[in-house]
Amino acid sequence: MKSLWKRWSEVKIVANRSTPFSLTHPFPTPREIVAELDKYIVGQKDAKKAVSIAIRNHYRRKMLPSPMQEEVTPKNILMIGPTGVGKTEIARRIARFIKAPFIKVEVTKFTEVGYVGRDVESMVRELVETSIQMVRMEEQQRVEKTAQKRSEEKILDILVPYPKTARTPFMDEESESMLEQVKHSRRLLLEELRRGALDEREIEIEVQEPRVKVMDLSNLPGMEEIGISFQQLMEDTFPKKKKRKKTKIKEAQRIFLEQEFESLLDREKIIQEGIRRAQETGIIFLDEIDKITSHGQTVGPDVSREGVQRDLLPVVEGTTVPTKYGPVKTDHILFIAAGAFHTSKPSDLIPELQGRFPVRVELQSLTVDDFKRILVEPENALTKQYQALLSVDGVNLTFTEDGIEELAKIAYEVNESTQDIGARRLYTVVERCLQDIAFEAPHEKDLEILINREFVRKNLKDILENEDLQKYIL
């Protein structure tokens, strides 16, 4: 019993060192992750479940003792399903929910190493940039009040500077009276400044001159270390210079705020935390992975199909990628690949790459009932968006149940008769249905519009009857 307690204590100690989550802010469970996804994505239970488990395993791994942490690798996911059914949205919403660095890349844009084009390692560098930017934004929010206060003080120092006698330890009555007047004036100006009453007033401030622009070699394959050294050399050779310029107070506030952020934030600390997050919680979404299968019909160099697959393999299974911030390991980055696989199948991928995506989930095509739910249930539902948008011009939209059903039915039928683009079809259907209202809304006041079955049929009648026109417009 004592040995079990000792092991559990060790696990808790490791967890407290390696994870930002605490007992008061616990990491979400798979059930909680799925519940969050249900707010925005209709159906696709299997995909939600698989991704939520993979995300939770990221947290479980960090709760293990150090030797075991290194042995547990992410269970990468391959999503199979037509476009517009929620593949990208599932990954994006999860990343936003757990505040993890996330990027989406189109694998068709990559080419094999040695050929002109983007190499696969560039996606890791992009993930690191995203992660560092996330950390920087968090740190800026933490020091924002302090930075705001300092920037306001700088502007007040220009508008109403303190008298020189205020800096001396001994002041006569006249100096003290003058100091009180200055303080009173600064308080009044501060209130006006915060109200925006001084935004258009011009002042003269001191700013840094733009640096000499040089080519950023650190983003080129194989040039990372040379690029970093070259940039440092140029910064040392051309030191920062300052100049005075006239600008409006609103712009001066922005400039001073940026300067204060630079002085308050620890750049090295932000970079290290950004790299850590990218390595431990980063998510890379590989879209259109079915487009890089060759079907065995390629003649000559296959620089954007099997060549890219071979280059992807070491990155997915774990390697070290050089970046301008230092080396980044990909061993524990979660990769989620997705493809429609209309003209190919997952087994067309090279065997080694298939083995790196052990979790397979198939997303289903959307039905009429799915479309109906998508129109009304999610927090960002299309009907809610259009109601909010048109309310700006004083239009009150009301969608009836039969109107929703008709919109869903039309979207489904168009998908069946032309190209199945999933929920994206609803955007074109609803946009076309409300086109005249959106056009006339600014010229009308306090309109009450009822979107029922008759309204939908009337506005989409011409398109539904003309099948050739349907292909181009819907």
Side-chain angles (χ1 to χ4, degrees):
M1 189 69 179
K2 288 183 178 179
S3 61
L4 286 173
W5 173 252
K6 184 179 178 182
R7 287 178 60 192
W8 174 240
S9 300
E10 291 173 352
V11 170
K12 288 199 292 186
I13 291 170
V14 170
N16 289 335
R17 282 202 308 262
S18 63
T19 176
F21 304 105
S22 64
L23 292 175
T24 55
H25 295 88
F27 194 89
T29 65
R31 187 176 295 175
E32 291 169 340
I33 293 173
V34 171
E36 178 68 17
L37 292 176
D38 285 340
K39 295 179 183 178
Y40 304 96
I41 303 157
V42 169
Q44 313 302 354
K45 290 184 179 179
D46 290 342
K48 292 175 182 175
K49 188 176 181 180
V51 176
S52 66
I53 292 171
I55 295 297
R56 180 68 181 186
N57 281 340
H58 257 44
Y59 168 70
R60 289 169 174 148
R61 181 186 70 83
K62 290 190 289 182
M63 296 295 286
L64 298 174
S66 296
M68 182 61 73
Q69 281 191 35
E70 297 303 316
E71 299 299 323
V72 178
T73 57
K75 303 303 181 288
N76 298 320
I77 301 167
L78 178 61
M79 293 184 179
I80 305 164
T83 183
V85 296
K87 299 188 295 292
T88 307
E89 194 66 9
I90 288 174
R92 182 183 289 117
R93 288 290 175 182
I94 278 188
R96 189 177 300 177
F97 181 47
I98 65 172
K99 295 181 172 59
F102 170 84
I103 61 164
K104 174 192 171 185
V105 295
E106 310 286 340
V107 293
T108 52
K109 294 181 179 179
F110 295 131
T111 57
E112 188 177 354
V113 172
Y115 293 87
V116 176
R118 290 183 63 188
D119 68 289
V120 296
E121 290 186 349
S122 65
M123 65 184 178
V124 179
R125 300 186 191 104
E126 186 180 343
L127 180 70
V128 172
E129 291 284 356
T130 300
S131 182
I132 290 173
Q133 189 62 26
M134 282 180 62
V135 177
R136 180 179 173 82
M137 293 299 291
E138 291 174 10
E139 289 296 299
Q140 283 188 183
Q141 289 177 0
R142 185 179 61 82
V143 301
E144 187 172 10
K145 288 184 178 179
T146 303
Q148 185 71 34
K149 187 175 180 180
R150 289 187 181 182
S151 66
E152 290 171 347
E153 287 294 322
K154 283 187 175 181
I155 291 175
L156 293 176
D157 286 342
I158 296 173
L159 296 174
V160 187
Y162 283 110
K164 294 181 179 179
T165 54
R167 299 172 186 171
T168 60
F170 303 104
M171 292 190 296
D172 54 25
E173 289 184 6
E174 184 179 350
S175 298
E176 288 181 357
S177 176
M178 185 181 299
L179 179 59
E180 288 302 319
Q181 290 178 10
V182 169
K183 287 181 178 179
H184 179 68
S185 298
R186 288 171 72 97
R187 283 194 296 269
L188 294 177
L189 280 173
L190 180 59
E191 291 177 4
E192 292 186 16
L193 180 63
R194 290 176 175 173
R195 288 202 316 268
L198 304 178
D199 285 353
E200 299 303 312
R201 184 170 172 178
E202 280 196 348
I203 58 174
E204 189 175 7
I205 64 173
E206 193 175 65
V207 296
Q208 292 178 356
E209 288 186 344
R211 291 179 180 176
V212 177
K213 291 185 177 181
V214 295
M215 182 178 178
D216 189 0
L217 300 176
S218 60
N219 288 323
L220 298 179
M223 300 289 287
E224 292 78 15
E225 293 183 6
I226 297 176
I228 295 167
S229 301
F230 183 68
Q231 283 182 327
Q232 188 64 47
L233 176 64
M234 294 301 293
E235 288 180 7
D236 294 339
T237 306
F238 299 97
K240 299 175 183 177
K241 294 182 180 179
K242 293 185 177 182
K243 66 176 183 179
R244 300 192 67 82
K245 62 175 283 190
K246 284 189 175 182
T247 185
K248 292 181 179 180
I249 286 181
K250 186 177 182 179
E251 176 64 13
Q253 272 190 297
R254 186 193 63 78
I255 294 171
F256 286 148
L257 194 61
E258 287 296 323
Q259 291 177 357
E260 293 304 321
F261 279 142
E262 288 299 321
S263 65
L264 289 168
L265 299 181
D266 187 334
R267 186 171 181 272
E268 287 302 317
K269 183 179 177 181
I270 289 173
I271 289 174
Q272 292 306 313
E273 175 63 14
I275 291 175
R276 187 194 69 79
R277 290 193 192 182
Q279 291 182 146
E280 295 187 7
T281 63
I283 301 174
I284 296 180
F285 186 84
L286 303 170
D287 201 12
E288 295 186 350
I289 197 166
D290 56 316
K291 302 298 192 300
I292 59 171
T293 56
S294 63
H295 316 293
Q297 300 174 354
T298 305
V299 177
D302 195 10
V303 300
S304 62
R305 290 183 181 268
E306 284 197 6
V308 174
Q309 291 187 55
R310 288 191 293 269
D311 289 345
L312 273 173
L313 185 59
V315 179
V316 174
E317 68 182 356
T319 188
T320 300
V321 175
T323 73
K324 64 182 179 183
Y325 302 107
V328 175
K329 294 182 178 180
T330 67
D331 302 66
H332 298 290
I333 293 175
L334 177 64
F335 290 88
I336 302 176
F341 289 98
H342 288 310
T343 59
S344 60
K345 50 188 182 296
S347 57
D348 290 329
L349 297 168
I350 60 175
E352 297 87 350
L353 192 60
Q354 291 180 49
R356 293 300 168 184
F357 291 89
V359 182
R360 306 282 177 88
V361 290
E362 187 170 353
L363 286 84
Q364 304 301 317
S365 296
L366 300 173
T367 64
V368 175
D369 287 338
D370 290 331
F371 281 135
K372 287 168 62 178
R373 293 178 59 197
I374 290 169
L375 282 170
V376 295
E377 289 185 12
E379 292 189 1
N380 61 336
L382 266 182
T383 52
K384 297 175 185 177
Q385 291 182 31
Y386 278 96
Q387 285 173 331
L389 285 171
L390 291 176
S391 68
V392 174
D393 288 321
V395 177
N396 183 26
L397 282 184
T398 302
F399 290 86
T400 64
E401 188 174 342
D402 63 342
I404 295 291
E405 186 174 356
E406 191 66 21
L407 287 169
K409 183 180 177 183
I410 291 171
Y412 177 78
E413 289 176 353
V414 175
N415 270 354
E416 288 291 300
S417 60
T418 58
Q419 182 68 38
D420 186 357
I421 60 172
R424 294 187 179 95
R425 184 69 66 187
L426 288 172
Y427 285 90
T428 53
V429 170
V430 176
E431 181 69 28
R432 177 67 181 179
C433 182
L434 301 179
Q435 181 175 293
D436 292 339
I437 295 175
F439 182 79
E440 297 294 342
H443 308 284
E444 304 289 344
K445 297 297 180 184
D446 301 323
L447 279 179
E448 296 282 340
I449 305 293
L450 190 67
I451 312 297
N452 54 21
R453 178 178 280 114
E454 289 71 24
F455 182 93
V456 173
R457 287 179 175 175
K458 177 184 176 182
N459 283 271
L460 298 178
K461 179 181 177 182
D462 295 339
I463 295 172
L464 293 176
E465 290 178 353
N466 191 330
E467 191 171 324
D468 291 334
L469 190 62
Q470 184 183 95
K471 293 179 182 179
Y472 293 99
I473 297 183
L474 292 183

